[in-house]
Amino acid sequence: MDQYPPAVAALVLFLVTLATAFWFWTREDESAVPYTVDAPGSNLIQCYCPANGKLLGVVNPASPAAIDRSIAKAQEAQVEWAKTSFAQRRRVLQTLLRHILENQSSISTAACLDSGKTRIDSSFGELLVTVEKLKWTILHGEKSLRSERRPTNLLMCYKVNEVRWEPLGVVAACVSWNYPFHNLMGPVISAIFAGNGIVIKGSENTAWSSTYFTNIVRSALQACGHSPALVQSVICWPSVAPHLTSHPGISHITFIGSKNVAHAVATSAAKSLTPVCVELGGKDAAIILDDVTDIEKVASILLRGVFQSAGQNCIGIERIIACQGIYQQLIKILEPRIRSLRLGSTLDEEGDNVDVGAMISSNNFTRLEQLISDATQEGARCLVGGKRYIHPRYPRGHYFEPTLLVDVTPDMTISQEETFAPICVVMKAKDVDNAIQIANSTNYGLGASVFGRSRRGLEKVVSTSKSGMVSVNDFAVYYAVQLPFGGVKGSGYGRFAGEEGLRSLCNTKAVCRDRFPRLISTAIPKPLDYPIASAKKGWEMCVGIVELGYGETLKRRIAGIWKLARNAA
């Protein structure tokens, strides 16, 4: 084959290159675009059973946009709900009460799976207190929120004074994991009876059961002909939570949790000036006086107070302070009983042989072991337990040995910091005054207990205890009768439960109106009407008004009347 001339070859090469470039240029819309894909489930909340480590499921955490949608839905539903009567709201609570009573086993199972507690612990801490709150609200809620007449005075004797409690709108509750059913239901019950909508943020540690528990309430609303959107459940990562707590659509926040998180919540809420009720746990003391008559009975109450829910109880007994006359006897009773406590899960075939359940996670175990070790090095004695426990049937469960630590003194760290664990700390007091001093020595002030016979001794402890609540010859019973719940000092501020808690979720509105509007109403006296004709006469009249209304003697009041008469023209 003859070769082409160089000029022709060059032309052919140019045309081929041009055609190729033109082909790629016309097909640019089909070129590859770089992109990334998140791994499936990478942001999901994985839920495990603390008792055995088995996967329960996954929960998709809420985004800021999802939180906005939840608040908007609750706001829309609340507009109509605020118009309901107390009778309609009671019907919803009655429906909810019936459902809980008929489904105790299912609710208990969900709570036990998600938190690791025993069935008995779930009955005391989840079911009993929830149905008590429902029953109290059904019986006494309307009376607490019914408008009240308030007294008037001489100058305003022609007025009628009234205080009303009206819905705030949509409120929020950020609740802890230790009682996943009750901590969620409690704020919901109060919020909806007060006429509010609510967005409830459960802990990511118990996210698995939150949807089920929320749907129990939503279904009760729907069954009674109301919008289930009134109650919204939000589960999110901590980094997203400030979007909820600073949201201008939230009118009030109830927070149950730790002090560190409370600071973040309060700071966030301050951006929109949202009021917050804060419950932060405590270092509750049980004082045992020398004149206790039935120490065996008292010991049983103390054990329930210490080991309920594996010690993960905000009003659990964290310190037993026994006067020296009863100290050794109490230890002799406690030691064998604590040593015999059995760890495990009550949801399997060996559930009848379990006393104490699992803890929510093992993250705190190293700290607990260090607190106990430090205390023993400083003179305390660890008679039982003191370390994490690898359960032979549930090696992936989170168990800590039931512990008895005695001879603890106020200068030991374990006597000052909340353990939130199955640790029985026993301290000796010289007398009642010393016991009170020890009890008040921490930064906490949530609840307290005192056991004894002498009314004088008992009352002394009650009146000098720096706490928000006190049980006499019992443990935490104030919570079983819906008294206002909350503490002082590092245990938080505000109250939920009872009349005070219900009213805190309302706008307290003061109303003052004429008693006989067609006969008498306010009229500005001429000497005080703008423009002021004479400042001197106006002042004399003001003095007369004050003396008439508030004079401490009849003579001064008569003088006030004279000043009014003299300067009226």
Side-chain angles (χ1 to χ4, degrees):
M1 183 183 295
D2 295 336
Q3 290 186 347
Y4 291 106
V8 175
L11 178 62
V12 171
L13 179 63
F14 172 75
L15 292 174
V16 169
T17 303
L18 183 63
T20 302
F22 179 76
W23 184 83
F24 276 109
W25 178 74
T26 59
R27 295 179 59 84
E28 186 176 358
D29 60 318
E30 297 183 15
S31 61
V33 178
Y35 66 98
T36 59
V37 178
D38 293 333
S42 61
N43 193 41
L44 296 179
I45 298 173
Q46 300 186 38
C47 307
Y48 294 89
C49 174
N52 56 29
K54 293 181 179 179
L55 181 68
L56 296 173
V58 294
V59 173
N60 190 26
S63 64
I67 292 174
D68 289 340
R69 290 193 294 271
S70 293
I71 294 173
K73 290 176 182 177
Q75 286 175 325
E76 183 179 0
Q78 191 272 335
V79 172
E80 292 302 315
W81 178 252
K83 301 174 185 176
T84 58
S85 65
F86 285 123
Q88 290 174 301
R89 298 174 194 176
R90 273 195 299 270
R91 184 168 182 248
V92 172
L93 298 193
Q94 291 278 21
T95 302
L96 182 56
L97 175 62
R98 179 177 178 177
H99 179 88
I100 293 172
L101 292 173
E102 293 176 349
N103 294 274
Q104 294 183 62
S105 181
S106 298
I107 294 169
S108 170
T109 299
C112 291
L113 283 171
D114 217 6
S115 66
K117 60 170 55 71
T118 67
R119 279 205 180 278
I120 291 175
D121 287 347
S122 74
S123 182
F124 279 125
E126 306 278 15
L127 296 165
L128 185 148
V129 288
T130 299
V131 295
E132 156 59 24
K133 189 177 188 74
L134 279 166
K135 196 66 175 179
W136 184 92
T137 308
I138 291 167
L139 294 176
H140 308 291
E142 181 177 356
K143 179 183 176 182
S144 300
L145 298 183
R146 194 183 299 139
S147 61
E148 289 183 356
R149 286 287 186 93
R150 294 295 172 87
T152 187
N153 56 45
L154 178 62
L155 295 180
M156 295 287 114
C157 62
Y158 64 99
K159 297 288 186 179
V160 175
N161 305 322
E162 178 188 8
V163 177
R164 295 181 177 182
W165 288 273
E166 299 178 348
L168 283 173
V170 174
V171 300
C174 303
V175 298
S176 58
W177 44 260
N178 54 329
Y179 291 105
F181 180 65
H182 175 67
N183 284 352
L184 183 147
M185 295 296 292
V188 170
I189 293 167
S190 296
I192 65 175
F193 192 80
N196 300 307
I198 184 169
V199 178
I200 187 90
K201 181 202 168 299
S203 168
E204 60 273 18
N205 286 318
T206 49
W208 178 76
S209 60
S210 291
T211 301
Y212 167 50
F213 293 152
T214 304
N215 283 340
I216 291 175
V217 187
R218 291 165 64 94
S219 297
L221 284 163
Q222 194 165 28
C224 295
H226 305 288
S227 172
L230 187 71
V231 177
Q232 298 288 322
S233 175
V234 167
I235 299 293
C236 64
W237 291 113
S239 59
V240 179
H243 188 77
L244 172 65
T245 53
S246 64
H247 201 288
I250 297 298
S251 301
H252 181 280
I253 298 172
T254 299
F255 174 79
I256 304 173
S258 69
K259 188 174 182 178
N260 290 338
V261 179
H263 281 294
V265 170
T267 300
S268 176
K271 295 177 182 178
S272 52
L273 297 179
T274 304
V276 185
C277 173
V278 177
E279 192 269 283
L280 306 178
K283 193 69 179 172
D284 289 13
I287 294 177
I288 318 300
L289 304 182
D290 282 334
D291 60 357
V292 167
T293 54
D294 191 344
I295 190 62
E296 291 278 357
K297 176 182 175 182
V298 170
S300 292
I301 297 174
L302 295 176
L303 288 171
R304 172 55 57 184
V306 173
F307 295 104
Q308 163 78 22
S309 196
Q312 300 165 118
N313 188 0
C314 57
I315 50 173
I317 296 175
E318 290 257 342
R319 296 171 297 157
I320 297 173
I321 305 171
C323 291
Q324 57 185 356
I326 202 74
Y327 182 77
Q328 292 299 337
Q329 184 182 356
L330 179 61
I331 292 174
K332 288 180 181 179
I333 296 172
L334 292 175
E335 183 177 356
R337 295 188 63 177
I338 294 174
R339 194 179 300 279
S340 66
L341 295 178
R342 298 155 297 181
L343 292 163
S345 170
T346 60
L347 298 180
D348 64 14
E349 63 273 12
E350 295 189 0
D352 282 346
N353 299 318
V354 172
D355 302 297
V356 181
M359 297 186 69
I360 195 70
S361 82
S362 60
N363 293 341
N364 205 30
F365 286 0
T366 299
R367 170 181 167 269
L368 295 175
E369 290 170 340
Q370 190 62 54
L371 286 173
I372 294 168
S373 176
D374 290 347
T376 56
Q377 291 178 20
E378 294 169 7
R381 291 182 295 143
C382 185
L383 303 182
V384 182
K387 61 184 183 299
R388 69 191 74 195
Y389 177 69
I390 306 302
H391 201 290
R393 288 178 58 85
Y394 320 108
R396 296 172 62 191
H398 307 310
Y399 295 95
F400 198 88
E401 294 178 343
T403 299
L404 175 59
L405 190 67
V406 303
D407 298 345
V408 176
T409 56
D411 57 325
M412 296 178 185
T413 305
I414 199 167
S415 72
Q416 299 295 317
E417 294 186 3
E418 184 179 34
T419 59
F420 224 56
I423 301 174
C424 182
V425 171
V426 185
M427 310 173 73
K428 183 191 291 186
K430 297 175 182 178
D431 51 29
V432 177
D433 291 331
N434 184 224
I436 294 169
Q437 182 182 17
I438 295 172
N440 290 336
S441 66
T442 74
N443 291 324
Y444 295 97
L446 188 58
S449 300
V450 57
F451 297 83
R453 183 174 57 181
S454 165
R455 178 173 293 184
R456 181 177 180 182
L458 294 171
E459 182 56 35
K460 188 171 189 179
V461 174
V462 170
S463 61
T464 57
S465 173
K466 303 300 182 185
S467 63
M469 303 164 289
V470 182
S471 288
V472 179
N473 286 317
D474 215 325
F475 152 68
V477 286
Y478 39 74
Y479 203 55
V481 291
Q482 285 300 293
L483 288 175
F485 187 94
V488 296
K489 299 195 291 185
S491 290
Y493 53 85
R495 296 292 185 270
F496 57 82
E499 181 179 283
E500 293 79 2
L502 201 54
R503 289 179 172 182
S504 73
L505 295 172
C506 299
N507 170 35
T508 303
K509 181 181 286 185
V511 180
C512 188
R513 57 165 59 92
D514 291 329
R515 189 183 301 272
F516 307 110
R518 296 184 179 181
L519 298 178
I520 183 172
S521 60
T522 298
I524 304 298
K526 188 174 181 181
L528 302 179
D529 200 10
Y530 288 118
I532 305 296
S534 170
K536 183 177 179 181
K537 292 186 68 173
W539 168 251
E540 285 293 317
M541 173 164 275
C542 288
V543 172
I545 292 172
V546 172
E547 289 183 344
L548 170 62
Y550 304 99
E552 81 285 15
T553 63
L554 179 60
K555 180 179 179 181
R556 190 181 296 277
R557 293 198 172 196
I558 293 173
I561 294 173
W562 171 247
K563 289 184 177 71
L564 289 176
R566 189 174 59 190
N567 294 281

